[in-house]
Amino acid sequence: MIEYVTPFFRPPSEHKSFILQATIGCSHNNCTYCAMYRKKTQKFRVRPMSEIKEIIDTASRNGLLERRVFIADGNALVLSTAKLIEIMNYLDEKSLGLERITMYANVGDILRKSIEDLILLRENGLGMVYIGFESGDDVVLERIKKGANFSETVEASRKLKASGIINSVMVLLGIGGKDRSREHALATGKLLTECDPEYVGALSLQLRPGAPIYEQWKEGLFELPDKFQMIEELETIVENTELSDSYFYSNHISNYLPVRARFPQEKGRVLKEIKEVLKTRDEASLRPDYYRDVVNQY
Ligand code: SF4
């Protein structure tokens, strides 16, 4: 039996992947909006290699290593290159040939690796990493304790491109609060343009008990933009984002307005859709709050 430390998380697009929990928790665990790894049992640690291999053996025996593997938890790229290669080679040995291996990564994890290391990881199976950019605004990034600024994020993205690892990034509507809403959206569009990732997912901030920002909100220190302000942010981000050949989504469950577009060819179409919603301000065209599992939006 495979024992997971719970709760564990994976991107929605990894719902069919086998989740290999090689690390527990997140080595950063400091972002103010994040409540994912706050339990004592989730304190950051690396599983011993013997345990990781036992999990892979069990998964293999049960036919779970068929197509895709997501290496969890919060930022498995924190592991040394040698360790990751050993894990991926063992996965390769025990599977019938995997389509792809992916994981979450922090900007700092990427910057700490050389391009040669990243190329080695790609050659040994790492196809894509998911990074939470959240914002391009350095004031916001500092406030939310993201641990990476605009220029570091651009540098990490360039290293990924140079190594051939696909970059799937998340940005967070509402994370600038009401006071930095416009700056957040403008700088986020600029950051996405400079980084030119292959995938962009825009999510909307949800205030979760356990996350420091939730306490700030309760004390009146953080004001969450309302639903149409979040859509205005989406509009500004799309307007200011130029991507050479990418997919842009806002279809995450947290969003009021799901959009999907291939950039650059569908940018105009999606912008028109967003502008139409902002013109009519018809709530019926938005995803209902109960569906978004919202703690509080106002
Ligand atoms: S958002 Fe990501 S990097 Fe930040 S604390 Fe949560 S898991 Fe760690």
Side-chain angles (χ1 to χ4, degrees):
M1 196 173 98
I2 297 168
E3 282 189 21
Y4 288 98
V5 176
T6 58
F8 62 89
F9 301 87
R10 49 125 185 101
S13 52
E14 299 290 341
H15 67 285
K16 289 188 181 158
S17 305
F18 173 68
I19 311 297
L20 174 62
Q21 200 175 32
T23 62
I24 316 294
C26 163
S27 67
H28 178 58
N29 211 22
N30 209 19
C31 301
T32 62
Y33 56 88
C34 176
M36 298 202 299
Y37 302 109
R38 302 278 174 186
K39 279 168 70 176
K40 274 195 189 136
T41 50
Q42 294 169 297
K43 194 170 161 33
F44 178 76
R45 59 198 184 275
V46 178
R47 276 195 202 267
M49 188 57 79
S50 57
E51 219 174 289
I52 294 172
K53 288 187 174 174
E54 270 172 39
I55 294 172
I56 295 173
D57 288 340
T58 310
S60 173
R61 275 197 305 276
N62 288 284
L64 300 172
L65 299 181
E66 284 185 345
R67 288 180 60 219
R68 296 178 173 188
V69 173
F70 177 77
I71 304 183
D73 269 345
N75 57 326
L77 198 73
V78 73
L79 292 173
S80 71
T81 301
K83 209 165 218 170
L84 283 169
I85 289 176
E86 190 174 346
I87 294 170
M88 291 193 292
N89 286 343
Y90 198 67
L91 277 168
D92 188 47
E93 196 185 314
K94 295 289 171 169
S95 73
L96 298 172
L98 290 173
E99 238 172 53
R100 74 174 196 195
I101 299 175
T102 55
M103 61 187 68
Y104 285 129
N106 286 347
V107 165
D109 301 330
I110 297 163
L111 294 182
R112 277 186 289 277
K113 295 209 185 290
S114 66
I115 292 194
E116 293 70 31
D117 274 354
L118 292 168
I119 290 173
L120 267 178
L121 289 171
R122 199 249 307 141
E123 287 173 348
N124 282 276
L126 179 59
M128 178 161 79
V129 292
Y130 296 89
I131 313 176
F133 281 6
E134 324 310 354
S135 176
D137 181 20
D138 278 344
V139 173
V140 172
L141 290 168
E142 181 75 31
R143 272 190 200 166
I144 64 172
K145 302 190 177 165
K146 187 66 216 175
N149 61 24
F150 186 104
S151 57
E152 289 163 338
T153 307
V154 172
E155 196 192 331
S157 299
R158 289 190 179 146
K159 285 177 88 170
L160 286 179
K161 262 209 197 307
S163 66
I165 296 172
I166 293 172
N167 189 4
S168 179
V169 313
M170 289 150 280
V171 297
L172 204 43
L173 306 176
I175 193 64
K178 285 192 176 177
D179 63 326
R180 293 292 295 180
S181 176
R182 178 92 185 136
E183 291 87 347
H184 157 60
L186 283 169
T188 301
K190 191 168 172 229
L191 180 66
L192 291 172
T193 302
E194 293 226 12
C195 296
D196 196 26
E198 287 82 359
Y199 295 92
V200 179
L203 283 65
S204 297
L205 175 63
Q206 292 177 289
L207 298 170
R208 304 255 181 228
I213 206 168
Y214 179 78
E215 297 306 318
Q216 292 167 2
W217 167 75
K218 277 206 319 198
E219 288 165 26
L221 301 172
F222 176 82
E223 277 190 287
L224 188 65
D226 68 31
K227 55 186 81 170
F228 285 108
Q229 283 172 317
M230 291 215 199
I231 297 170
E232 280 164 9
E233 287 184 10
L234 182 64
E235 177 192 35
T236 305
I237 291 172
V238 171
E239 261 169 355
N240 289 278
T241 298
E242 305 297 337
L243 302 169
S244 59
D245 185 12
S246 311
Y247 289 93
F248 187 108
Y249 300 99
S250 73
N251 55 354
H252 186 262
I253 190 77
S254 63
N255 288 316
Y256 287 107
L257 182 63
V259 298
R260 266 169 90 100
R262 182 93 191 254
F263 271 48
Q265 51 271 57
E266 293 179 313
K267 172 174 163 167
R269 191 258 306 152
V270 85
L271 202 48
K272 210 169 139 203
E273 280 171 26
I274 298 169
K275 283 184 186 298
E276 191 56 32
V277 169
L278 286 172
K279 198 165 91 190
T280 58
R281 301 217 163 215
D282 177 5
E283 297 218 1
S285 58
L286 307 183
R287 190 176 264 160
D289 279 340
Y290 69 84
Y291 193 69
R292 296 176 60 249
D293 181 26
V294 165
V295 172
N296 200 317
Q297 282 298 321
Y298 301 105

